[in-house]
Amino acid sequence: MHEYFRVPIVVAAAATGLIGTFLPFPKTLKSHPYAAIYAGSFAGMCSSSLINSYWELSFISLIGASLYVLTMNLFAGFGGRLGSVAFASVALYMLAKGVF
């Protein structure tokens, strides 16, 4: 939304999270899909100069989803987990992009 419609980044991330709350998910998943949506919107707030294609965005999403699942029980009760997962996924992607 930011890149194509010139919506401010924070508003675009908030709109993504808001729209994501209306998606129906099974009760067995609890709030994890919604948390993953918010973590993805945090990761999407990085500079558009870092992400050049939808493939790169998909790869960052894959890293973020993996990190979220791996740390799901590790950081239970601690604040900032979603932002940390978003930061780590973008940082790991940039590290991999710089190395390869």
Side-chain angles (χ1 to χ4, degrees):
M1 285 193 285
H2 172 70
E3 187 69 26
Y4 295 111
F5 301 118
R6 297 292 179 209
V7 175
I9 291 176
V10 175
V11 174
T16 301
L18 179 66
I19 293 167
T21 60
F22 294 111
L23 297 175
F25 291 105
K27 296 286 184 193
T28 57
L29 297 176
K30 300 180 183 173
S31 64
H32 296 299
Y34 302 114
I37 289 170
Y38 279 107
S41 69
F42 291 155
M45 290 175 66
C46 70
S47 174
S48 59
S49 65
L50 299 177
I51 302 172
N52 298 321
S53 69
Y54 287 114
W55 290 107
E56 292 178 347
L57 184 62
S58 299
F59 189 62
I60 290 172
S61 299
L62 179 67
I63 294 170
S66 301
L67 287 176
Y68 179 79
V69 169
L70 289 173
T71 62
M72 196 163 29
N73 296 324
L74 184 64
F75 296 121
F78 291 98
R81 176 175 47 154
L82 297 178
S84 299
V85 166
F87 169 76
S89 62
V90 173
L92 285 172
Y93 169 74
M94 293 309 297
L95 179 66
K97 187 176 178 181
V99 170
F100 299 111

